[in-house]
Amino acid sequence: MRAGADRLRPGWGSLPASLRARIADILGGGIVSDSPAQGGFSAGYAGIVRSAHADVFVKAIPATGHSDSRTFIRREIHALQAIPAALRPRMLASVDDEESTALVLAVVPGIHPGEPWSEAQLHAIAAEIAHVAATPAPEVIFPAQRSMLPYYARWRAVFEDPSLTASLPHGLPTQMPQLLRLEQALPDAVTGSFLAHGDLRADNILIEDERARFIDWPHARRGAAWLDGPLLLPSVEASGGPRCADAWEILRAHGAPDAASMLPVISGFASFLWWGQAQPEIPELPGLRAFQRAQALPLLRWLAELL
């Protein structure tokens, strides 16, 4: 698995001509070129758009496009208006009308981590997670209980599906009673007042001059500190980085708690991935189920070790 989600997005020409014209006006002149982003799981356009006067990063989708992808752009517009400026990309403009929804951002410099992962990259990311985890979340940011439940509470659904339970690796079928108890503890475990990105992986991170910057904020949450840690590490290991347990020790060097204290969150994310990878494919989001499966396997092993 690559370090981040990797897929072909719709091209600039797929957007309504009127929206392209509006974005050109924002840039102060005609569009010279665009470079679509290849990462992420959204069915809309995303990429750097250039004019003779400026470069911007654009996310956009027509009203006839994938409804969830349009919702995510709207959520990111909402989040970026509230998150402290030091933590997120600068929003230049937004569009949301009966024809389309779009977000125009300043380009964030840097390179995506991974391929290969390095200890220095992980330290930079851990330092930025610590910064985010110490930031009180604005009240308008969705509480983690609202955004993570019931999606991260899937062990009951797995338990009720004999094939999904039987195929769990690392002896986890015998641990189902404990997994169901951890699921009951999840609402309290995610509750808090701190900011979380909610969807950290390589394609949502840029590193420049040893500082990591987080992009793509539609899943921003208000909850317990360090929620982002357990959500990041499975994608790191699945793409050739260190094992989850070893990577967590790097986070610990920057203030993360003991992994055992995050066990309900780790277990909840594992249930989300294991249940999700078995669901039908979403035509607009090719590769999502394989990506979930690739992350589920190292996370389930880490979960079994912690249990």
Side-chain angles (χ1 to χ4, degrees):
M1 190 190 83
R2 292 173 64 88
D6 187 33
R7 57 186 293 270
L8 185 64
R9 287 179 175 271
W12 175 248
S14 69
L15 298 174
S18 60
L19 176 60
R20 285 179 276 143
R22 290 176 70 175
I23 294 172
D25 288 342
I26 293 168
L27 269 69
I31 303 300
V32 174
S33 65
D34 79 290
S35 302
Q38 300 306 317
F41 287 104
S42 171
Y45 174 84
I48 295 176
V49 178
R50 300 178 177 87
S51 75
H53 305 283
D55 295 355
V56 297
F57 194 88
V58 175
K59 298 181 179 185
I61 192 167
T64 56
H66 184 233
S67 61
D68 284 352
S69 297
R70 192 179 193 199
T71 296
F72 290 150
I73 295 178
R74 285 171 167 161
R75 287 181 180 174
E76 185 165 15
I77 292 170
H78 174 83
L80 293 181
Q81 291 170 336
I83 294 169
L87 299 179
R88 44 83 174 168
R90 182 163 58 96
M91 185 168 65
L92 303 176
S94 63
V95 175
D96 190 16
D97 56 30
E98 67 281 354
E99 186 178 56
S100 54
T101 300
L103 176 58
V104 182
L105 302 165
V107 175
V108 178
I111 61 170
H112 296 294
E115 302 178 346
W117 287 96
S118 70
E119 188 169 322
Q121 289 176 344
L122 289 169
H123 275 289
I125 294 166
E128 187 67 3
I129 294 176
H131 189 186
V132 172
T135 301
E139 287 296 318
V140 297
I141 298 295
F142 286 170
Q145 280 201 28
R146 178 178 170 187
S147 64
M148 297 178 74
L149 299 171
Y151 314 106
Y152 285 53
R154 299 295 193 186
W155 284 127
R156 175 62 59 183
V158 171
F159 177 68
E160 292 172 352
D161 185 327
S163 63
L164 266 184
T165 299
S167 57
L168 277 167
H170 310 300
L172 284 170
T174 63
Q175 300 280 6
M176 190 57 70
Q178 187 170 356
L179 297 175
L180 292 172
R181 287 194 295 272
L182 286 170
E183 188 159 281
Q184 294 299 311
L186 184 60
D188 288 340
V190 302
T191 298
S193 60
F194 296 102
L195 184 63
H197 177 280
D199 193 25
L200 278 189
R201 55 177 191 254
D203 52 301
N204 289 337
I205 302 170
L206 289 164
I207 297 178
E208 183 186 49
D209 297 332
E210 300 183 349
R211 191 215 164 160
R213 297 290 301 275
F214 300 159
I215 58 175
D216 198 30
W217 284 85
H219 301 284
R221 295 167 179 150
R222 173 166 41 91
W226 288 94
L227 283 179
D228 285 319
L231 277 57
L232 168 69
L233 299 192
S235 68
V236 172
E237 181 176 342
S239 57
R243 289 162 61 103
C244 292
D246 296 331
W248 188 262
E249 291 307 306
I250 294 177
L251 270 60
R252 290 267 285 163
H254 293 265
D258 182 78
S261 71
M262 301 292 289
L263 194 50
V265 179
I266 294 168
S267 177
F269 189 39
S271 79
F272 167 80
L273 292 172
W274 188 245
W275 180 85
Q277 58 86 32
Q279 302 311 301
E281 297 286 350
I282 301 173
E284 298 90 346
L285 305 177
L288 174 61
R289 300 313 183 195
F291 187 72
Q292 290 174 327
R293 191 172 304 116
Q295 291 185 83
L297 296 175
L299 184 56
L300 289 168
R301 192 201 65 251
W302 188 29
L303 174 60
E305 292 169 356
L306 290 168
L307 292 176

